[in-house]
Amino acid sequence: MDYYLFYRRHILVQENTITLPDSSVWQTLLTNGDVHDIFCELKYNYTTAYLKNVDVVPKRYTLIRIRKYFAQTANEEGARAARAKHLLNWRMSHLFCPACGAPLKDDKKLTARNCTSCNMQYFPRIEPCIIVLVTQGDKLLLARHKERNQNIYTCIAGFIEAGESAEQAVVREVREEIGIEIQNVRYVGSQGWPFPDQLMLGFRAEYKSGTIRVQEDELYEAKWFSRSALPPFPKQGSMGWRLISGVYG
């Protein structure tokens, strides 16, 4: 059994490693009342919970950002950790039935929660979104986003709206945020991203026409860069890194 212990966007590991806490650490934290929202999935061989605060971190352990854990583990392990974080987020936000207000309880067989009064059933919500690397010859189009680290350039991304296909969302987001038209949209991969409940669908596309005109309430700027002179971009572990670093060609 593995133990995932989260605090906000961080996960608890042994210092200078990515080794998860063992059962003795888990038992001590549990006995001291230092964790909450405990959840276990025997099928996936893990128990997970939130730490109440940073003061309860045991000696010889530390909190690292979850994306760093993703970057240093195999894809299968990253997916399991993402699942644990996603389900914790979902359970915390689904304590009561949206239809009648009665408490919800876990379904005995399904990954679902059931209303104790009106019997409505609720499954984890996944919000699909797209991220796209636009190219023009050997140039990459990267942007600085206002809601992220100001020194980091990355790809254009956004949520898929009702009624859209993923490809339509790619075209719309680039048009809205950058003001250009694109072509040859190509799906390249996906990633579960529990911040809090996204499924990132990665694409590549080629420039077609237009002049860069950024959406000022979303972006600081957008520019074309050559691979030999890239600006600071997301670190390993994210879909943005995979696209920009050439993992998908």
Side-chain angles (χ1 to χ4, degrees):
M1 177 70 68
D2 288 324
Y3 299 92
Y4 296 117
L5 296 168
F6 298 102
Y7 180 75
R8 296 181 180 174
R9 292 194 174 195
H10 295 75
I11 186 171
L12 188 71
V13 295
Q14 291 182 19
E15 289 181 342
N16 303 315
T17 74
I18 55 168
T19 303
L20 297 170
D22 59 26
S23 58
S24 63
V25 171
W26 162 256
Q27 190 59 50
T28 298
L29 291 168
L30 182 64
T31 300
N32 293 340
D34 294 331
V35 295
H36 63 100
D37 294 307
I38 301 164
F39 176 63
C40 175
E41 278 197 302
L42 295 178
K43 178 180 177 180
Y44 293 95
N45 196 38
Y46 74 81
T47 295
T48 184
Y50 285 117
L51 295 173
K52 288 190 173 179
N53 55 65
V54 295
D55 296 331
V56 304
V57 173
K59 292 181 179 179
R60 297 184 294 280
Y61 281 83
T62 188
L63 291 166
I64 63 171
R65 291 187 68 84
I66 299 173
R67 71 165 63 219
K68 181 177 180 180
Y69 186 77
F70 290 163
Q72 298 184 27
T73 56
N75 289 339
E76 293 78 8
E77 171 56 19
R80 190 173 63 143
R83 177 183 177 87
K85 183 68 165 63
H86 185 158
L87 291 180
L88 273 182
N89 294 338
W90 170 65
R91 289 165 56 81
M92 180 182 290
S93 62
H94 286 72
L95 300 175
F96 301 97
C97 176
C100 72
L104 298 177
K105 66 177 182 179
D106 291 336
D107 189 275
K108 294 182 179 180
K109 296 182 179 180
L110 302 175
T111 305
R113 307 207 83 194
N114 303 322
C115 180
T116 55
S117 178
C118 70
N119 296 319
M120 288 290 291
Q121 188 172 64
Y122 301 94
F123 292 87
R125 183 182 65 183
I126 299 175
E127 296 187 358
C129 51
I130 59 86
I131 182 168
V132 56
L133 177 66
V134 180
T135 61
Q136 184 180 21
D138 63 350
K139 301 289 187 180
L140 312 183
L141 180 62
L142 302 176
R144 285 200 302 146
H145 293 256
K146 288 190 172 182
E147 294 185 359
R148 303 176 188 174
N149 188 324
Q150 296 181 17
N151 296 320
I152 297 295
Y153 287 78
T154 189
C155 306
I156 300 303
F159 288 98
I160 299 174
E161 295 186 354
E164 283 186 324
S165 68
E167 291 79 4
Q168 288 171 332
V170 169
V171 173
R172 174 185 55 77
E173 284 289 346
V174 172
R175 182 185 297 132
E176 289 178 354
E177 295 193 11
I178 305 295
I180 65 172
E181 298 300 323
I182 58 175
Q183 61 187 350
N184 299 329
V185 177
R186 176 169 64 90
Y187 170 77
V188 293
S190 64
Q191 180 183 35
W193 199 240
F195 300 131
D197 48 23
Q198 301 165 10
L199 174 62
M200 300 289 292
L201 305 176
F203 289 83
R204 294 196 64 175
E206 298 173 1
Y207 170 83
K208 181 179 181 181
S209 63
T211 302
I212 292 176
R213 185 183 66 257
V214 301
Q215 188 176 26
E216 294 184 353
D217 59 340
E218 295 279 346
L219 305 175
Y220 284 109
E221 61 180 340
K223 296 180 180 180
W224 295 102
F225 296 91
S226 67
R227 286 201 177 274
S228 61
L230 289 176
F233 62 89
K235 296 180 180 179
Q236 187 173 351
S238 68
M239 180 62 70
W241 176 85
R242 294 182 187 181
L243 290 167
I244 297 168
S245 63
V247 171
Y248 294 123

